[in-house]
Amino acid sequence: MELIGKRIIELLIFLVILSFLSFVLMKLAPGDPVKQMLRVDDVAVSEEQMNNLRTELGFNEPVYIQYVKWLKRFFQFDLGSSYMTKEPVIDELVEKFPSTLRLTVASLVVMLLIAVPLGTLSALYPNKWIDYLSRSISLIGASIPSFWLGLLFIQLFSVRLQWLPSMGTGTAAHLVLPSLTLGFAMSAVYMRMIRASLLEGLKQDFVRSARARGISESRIFIFHAFRYSLTPILTILGTSLGSLLGGTVIIEVLFAYPGIGKLVIDAIMNRDYPVIQGYILWMGLFVVLINSLVDLSYKYVNPQLYVKGGDKT
Amino acid sequence: MRKKISLLSLTLVTIGMLAACSGNSASTEEKSEKKSLAFVSNFPSDTLDPQLNYTTVRAGIAETLVKVNEQLQIEPWLSKKWKTEDGGTTWVFEIREGIGFQNGKALNAEAVKHSLERTIKESEAMKSALKIKEMKANGQILTITTKEPLATLPSELVHPNTAIIDVDAPDIKNKPVGTGPFKVASFKPDTAIKVKKYKEYWGGEPKLDEVMLTFNDDENARTSALQSGEADIVYRPAIESLNTLKQDSSIVVDIQPSLRNQMLFYNSRKEAFKDKNVRKAFDVLLNPKDVVDTALAGQGSAAKGPFLESLDFSNDQKTKTYGTSEAQKYLEKAGYTLKDGKTIKNGKQLSFKLVTYPYRPELPLMSQMLQSEAKKIGVKIDIQQVENMDEYMTTKDDWGMVTYSLVTAPRGDAGYFFNALYMEGGAFNVGHFHEPALTSIIAELNKTVDQKQRNKLARQAGEIVEKETLHSSIVHPNNFVAYRDNVKNWVTTKSEYYVITKDLDVK
């Protein structure tokens, strides 16, 4: 209980620092939402009109005053409204998040389906044909830019075979190509990681001891070597999860998939500060939560890392 | 070994199963029952609120009081006629009778008033453009009083953000109720909108039962959607795919000149560009035909002025002679001499920074072409590419020239262009040019209601801009749309405001 309380306080402090830094950096960065709001590229407005709107929105006030006002609203659970759509930021984030979450889960499933069997077989049979195959796939996956891979999948599955829709959402079929693209690209890294960790695990003293004790090879593999190799995999999985939940912009644009990544890119293009700021906090919150979960999972996956007294070896 | 094979098989089978659960079959079935059409565009839409987005008008859901035709002349739409008797401060619009909103409510001046009130409340841009002081509704007559004489009010009311909707209808963001031939069936922000026919449409029953409009920013993905049969019409397919698409007998490629102009802006705060001969030198240095052939892959036309030549307010442009020797003549007039491969004045080589941006890929290419031509006559150009061009142009003054792309007459009127670029304090007067003769013509233009007189003034203003070379108009890029040959009555409009119409059909 004490630990949870401590973590919540840490999280709050982190969010306030994050919000301050992001707010200041955003204000220092070039860009003017007023021009977008007044659509100067199709409505004739004057500098005077732009200045009036800047004053109205408080942009002419010092940055610290703007931040204090924003912080006040934040503590009232109000992230403000988008300059472009006039919708509350929180509604925009909540609306887009389920799509991103679905894509994240589907991509991770694809990644696991490719990386776990191939990485494992590669480690079990080093320098055999399956290892070469796995390494080749991994090399290809790491070398191909994901947008190009996406276009290849569209050409094959949508244009030539006409099996799958190339864009949009709605059915499970719409999720296949984007998740296949993301999952394949990610699996390249994971395949290598699983192979390397398993090989290292199989060389450990405790594996030798287990063999000496006459424990079966499959048991040694699953309960000793695989468990050992899970720690680094979980660590990068946490990072991947964070970046996937943050939105994978190129894939979302390519497949016209309405996720959170596209939302924030549009917000950045339009200098829609409330949306950008809301997104940073939202993602900051998720990254911290995921990292905490990964941290906690070590306790179960590899208890050696959680020896009382903080001796983390 | 068996284990290995089964693991691999499991992976492949799972991917195969995911692939097999395609959603295409359902939509094909639906297509055969109803007359439907799938349209994929790059027009993003995070809301259907017409006051904030153009999609409602593009999708045929809502309409404006005034519309712009293919000759870019304004014509009546929801408003039958209009007049002003005091030089543009008071405008009387007569709203067409017998029009109903898609929920059955009648369209009268009161409903239009409420809709326009919402427009100026929700859209800062429209509030600035319309300058409405007061509105009075009486039956079908709407009287608008503006804060100052506004000769362009009917033209401003062409803007899709002034579309008339029933403001009392719930959920305007997702399901606005307009007077157009199609009503909203479903909407997924930033993804797709499905519209179905509104049988009682005042202009006659629409031919299509439903239209699915999908948004996709990626031009290659849009092209693939057409090739795969997912789309019947795609807006702006990938430029490099046009030849492939043209070779496909089941696809029609429609190419139209756009209202956009790729231009060079000069910075009058830079000493060299204060001299009009220097500006003239760069005006003739780059042959627009070469830009069309190279940077636009043939998809455009040479610009002789800011507006398309076919427009009534486009001033007569003389055919220019382009090339390095012509440019050199102007530089000599400005006091420069070519010595040891350098164009020099007062011992200093003519050199400056040219700023461009990648959003329109032809602009950096155009910049490189200019740089290369300038090098031949001893002028040094440093190219800088920036992400936010508008910001750079207005906040920095270290640039001598920028390449820019602008829709010069978005609603069929020259007022926007001259006010934005050459009026004192205009949001696009980035070159800081102040020509008193030009300013007074623009001021006169802003007060003039009569269209013929407006065109005359716009031509005069254009002549001053041309004579002084305050900017250089280089090319008009084309708009292109590709569609399957079963599509009937498709029109690629210059304004890009009207896309889904009651006449659009499929065989």
Side-chain angles (χ1 to χ4, degrees), chain B residues 328-455:
Chain B
Q328 232 168 338
K329 280 183 207 163
Y330 283 114
L331 288 177
E332 277 163 18
K333 271 190 199 172
Y336 287 91
T337 47
L338 183 64
K339 202 177 164 193
D340 304 328
K342 289 178 180 175
T343 288
I344 291 169
K345 187 177 174 182
N346 301 329
K348 255 179 99 180
Q349 186 187 11
L350 177 58
S351 67
F352 58 89
K353 189 198 273 187
L354 189 160
V355 188
T356 187
Y357 57 107
Y359 183 69
R360 296 195 174 270
E362 63 271 27
L363 294 180
L365 282 175
M366 200 167 98
S367 308
Q368 283 167 14
M369 289 172 75
L370 194 79
Q371 184 187 42
S372 159
E373 292 301 302
K375 200 178 172 188
K376 290 178 193 165
I377 53 165
V379 176
K380 189 171 173 279
I381 298 180
D382 292 315
I383 297 176
Q384 185 181 341
Q385 193 159 291
V386 295
E387 282 301 320
N388 194 331
M389 188 61 168
D390 293 343
E391 188 66 24
Y392 197 94
M393 287 191 305
T394 42
T395 57
K396 309 261 185 190
D397 62 0
D398 60 346
W399 56 276
M401 195 189 286
V402 296
T403 52
Y404 198 79
S405 177
L406 189 73
V407 176
T408 47
R411 287 171 295 284
D413 191 89
Y416 161 71
F417 179 78
F418 290 117
N419 277 291
L421 261 79
Y422 296 117
M423 217 36 187
E424 203 150 331
F428 266 110
N429 191 353
V430 291
H432 293 264
F433 285 103
H434 298 295
E435 288 291 326
L438 181 60
T439 310
S440 72
I441 292 177
I442 301 170
E444 187 66 27
L445 178 75
N446 290 342
K447 285 189 289 187
T448 307
V449 177
D450 179 69
Q451 197 54 48
K452 275 188 183 164
Q453 186 61 17
R454 286 186 67 76
N455 292 344

Side-chain angles (χ1 to χ4, degrees), chain A residues 98-153:
Chain A
S99 300
T100 300
L101 192 62
R102 272 197 295 275
L103 184 59
T104 301
V105 172
S107 308
L108 286 178
V109 168
V110 171
M111 181 277 284
L112 290 173
L113 284 173
I114 300 171
V116 172
L118 284 177
T120 310
L121 289 171
S122 187
L124 281 176
Y125 304 97
N127 300 320
K128 296 281 162 45
W129 71 269
I130 188 75
D131 185 25
Y132 290 125
L133 176 73
S134 144
R135 279 150 75 173
S136 308
I137 293 175
S138 173
L139 185 69
I140 294 168
S143 318
I144 296 179
S146 50
F147 75 92
W148 194 64
L149 185 67
L151 282 172
L152 284 184
F153 282 150

Side-chain angles (χ1 to χ4, degrees), chain A residues 6-59:
Chain A
K6 201 179 150 198
R7 283 278 158 102
I8 290 173
I9 293 168
E10 276 174 11
L11 177 67
L12 275 174
I13 294 171
F14 168 76
L15 288 180
V16 170
I17 294 171
L18 181 70
S19 70
F20 177 73
L21 288 176
S22 55
F23 197 91
V24 171
L25 287 173
M26 237 169 10
K27 294 287 172 183
L28 290 177
D32 190 354
V34 165
K35 283 198 170 142
Q36 300 288 343
M37 292 169 83
L38 288 175
R39 269 169 257 137
V40 292
D41 56 352
D42 100 331
V43 171
V45 292
S46 62
E47 279 291 341
E48 192 190 345
Q49 283 168 314
M50 289 200 285
N51 248 331
N52 290 345
L53 186 58
R54 278 190 201 109
T55 310
E56 204 179 297
L57 292 169
F59 292 165

